[in-house]
Amino acid sequence: ALTMTELEARLIKFGFFRCHRSYLVNLQRVRELVSYSRNSFTLVLADEIKTKLPLSRTRLEELKLLLEI
């Protein structure tokens, strides 16, 4: 059993990103970043049902750097 921090450390080199304290996401599967308000963001995945995952406000800047937005 691994903690999320340990799992994140192992998967980061494979293109995974911790978008929220409970979620790790493969960045290759992210379809879009949706802003619902100034401080509320959601990642939409490129799957059949367009899964939505929360994006932590503290992780937004890190994601922008990774995606070069």
Side-chain angles (χ1 to χ4, degrees):
L2 299 172
T3 66
M4 283 294 285
T5 303
E6 293 168 339
L7 188 58
E8 176 185 16
R10 288 186 182 192
L11 294 177
I12 197 165
K13 59 187 167 197
F14 298 107
F16 283 79
F17 175 73
R18 190 168 183 177
C19 62
H20 194 270
R21 66 180 180 165
S22 302
Y23 297 95
L24 283 168
V25 63
N26 183 342
L27 290 176
Q28 295 176 347
R29 302 295 297 160
V30 174
R31 179 182 178 139
E32 62 184 306
L33 173 62
V34 178
S35 172
Y36 289 107
S37 68
R38 183 179 174 121
N39 294 323
S40 177
F41 294 90
T42 300
L43 296 175
V44 180
L45 302 184
D47 60 4
E48 292 177 4
I49 58 173
K50 297 182 182 175
T51 304
K52 296 179 182 178
L53 299 176
L55 176 61
S56 171
R57 285 178 280 152
T58 59
R59 297 289 184 147
L60 176 61
E61 289 303 317
E62 184 179 348
L63 179 64
K64 284 183 179 180
L65 289 174
L66 285 173
L67 299 177
E68 299 175 359
I69 297 176

